[in-house]
Amino acid sequence: MNAQTIAVVGATGAVGVEILRVLERRNFPVASLKLLASARSAGKTLAFKGKPYTVEELKASSFKGVDIAFFSAGATRSREFVPAAKAAGCVVIDNSSAFRMDPNTPLVVPEVNPGDLRRHNGVIANPNCTAAILAVAVWPIHQAAGIRKITVSTYQSA
C-alpha cells in the first residue's frame, strides 16, 4: 500500500489515541497526518512516531486531500461530518454506531470478513468493541463446528 494521508477524528479521546498507537505500532504507511477534535481540544499536541502534531478543530472542510479518516468521536459527529469526508473523496472507517445498521455500509471485522471491504461506498463501519473481540474469538469455532446460538453478557464501565 502506498503512503496515505490519514485523519483521526476524535484524536484526543481514548480511542483516538489508541488508533494513533496502532497505526504507529503496525507501521501503517502514513504520508501525512491530521488530528481532528472539538474546538476545546484544538491546539493540543499529540505525538506520532516521535513527532508532535497539533490537533485541529473538526470542520466540514477538514478532509480536503485526506485518503482515509478514522472516526471515533461518537455517532452524532459521524452523522454530521462523514458526508463531508465522503464528498472530499475520503474513505471513512467509523467506530461509532452511526452506520452499523445501514444496509449499504459494510460492518467489518478484518479477521472475520475482510472481503466485505470491497463493497464500501466511502464508509466502513465496525461493531462495538465487545462484539468485535467476540467475533474474532468465535469465528474460527463457528467455521470448525458451527454455532447456532450464543448468549453473551457484558459489563462495561460507565
Side-chain angles (χ1 to χ4, degrees), residues 25-113:
R25 189 170 54 245
R26 293 191 177 194
N27 202 26
F28 192 87
V30 177
S32 62
L33 181 65
K34 285 182 117 175
L35 304 181
L36 303 168
S38 67
R40 187 177 62 243
S41 293
K44 290 183 179 180
T45 303
L46 295 174
F48 180 74
K49 292 189 175 183
K51 181 180 171 190
Y53 287 84
T54 302
V55 176
E56 302 173 31
E57 181 180 355
L58 174 62
K59 297 179 181 177
S61 61
S62 297
F63 302 99
K64 184 178 183 204
V66 172
D67 298 307
I68 301 170
F70 293 90
F71 270 66
S72 188
T76 300
R77 290 287 169 254
S78 289
R79 286 187 198 97
E80 182 179 357
F81 289 101
V82 164
K86 283 179 58 178
C90 181
V91 174
V92 171
I93 300 170
D94 186 47
N95 193 42
S96 78
S97 62
F99 300 96
R100 286 181 184 151
M101 300 304 289
D102 180 347
N104 297 314
T105 302
L107 183 65
V108 176
V109 176
E111 297 84 354
V112 175
N113 61 333

Side-chain angles (χ1 to χ4, degrees), residues 130-154:
T130 303
I133 293 167
L134 182 63
V136 170
V138 169
W139 179 242
I141 299 168
H142 175 66
Q143 288 180 300
I147 297 174
R148 284 185 272 173
K149 181 180 178 181
I150 189 166
T151 301
V152 178
S153 297
T154 67

Side-chain angles (χ1 to χ4, degrees), residues 109-122:
V109 176
E111 297 84 354
V112 175
N113 61 333
D116 287 358
L117 291 170
R118 288 188 289 274
R119 69 173 186 83
H120 79 80
N121 293 312

